[in-house]
Amino acid sequence: MSKHWYNLRFIHMGLSFGINFAVFGLLGGWGGQYLDRKFHSEPWFLVAGITFGVLFALYSLVREIMAIDKITNQREKAGKDGPKD
């Protein structure tokens, strides 16, 4: 595997985490704000919504890291090393 493609996996991981963090954090915030207005419980649902959004983004990051690690280990076992300069 060329170094170019090897590095793109990590760039993808970083971009994916940033997008997930923003999207799920905002969705959790908006959903929490809606529930706070409905039940007059400010700011508890907002805090919970943002927390769950961030935790979901971290969960997706960990899953992606585990997938990359699995692929890397399989390539090492097959005798194909990582990036070559």
Side-chain angles (χ1 to χ4, degrees), residues 29-83:
W30 284 330
Q33 192 175 28
Y34 170 78
L35 291 173
D36 277 334
R37 277 189 255 126
K38 184 172 181 164
F39 296 115
H40 305 290
S41 60
E42 293 175 358
W44 299 112
F45 283 113
L46 174 66
V47 171
I50 291 172
T51 301
F52 284 124
V54 169
L55 288 176
F56 187 77
L58 288 172
Y59 172 73
S60 67
L61 175 68
V62 168
R63 284 188 50 187
E64 195 160 346
I65 289 171
M66 289 172 59
I68 288 174
D69 188 48
K70 181 178 177 181
I71 291 169
T72 303
N73 287 339
Q74 287 174 349
R75 290 185 61 80
E76 286 176 356
K77 286 180 182 177
K80 299 175 183 176
D81 293 319

Side-chain angles (χ1 to χ4, degrees), residues 1-13 64 68 71-72 75 81-85:
M1 178 179 290
S2 71
K3 189 173 183 175
H4 174 72
W5 290 109
Y6 186 80
N7 290 335
L8 280 179
R9 288 191 299 185
F10 294 104
I11 292 170
H12 173 264
M13 183 177 55
E64 195 160 346
I68 288 174
I71 291 169
T72 303
R75 290 185 61 80
D81 293 319
K84 296 197 176 7
D85 293 325

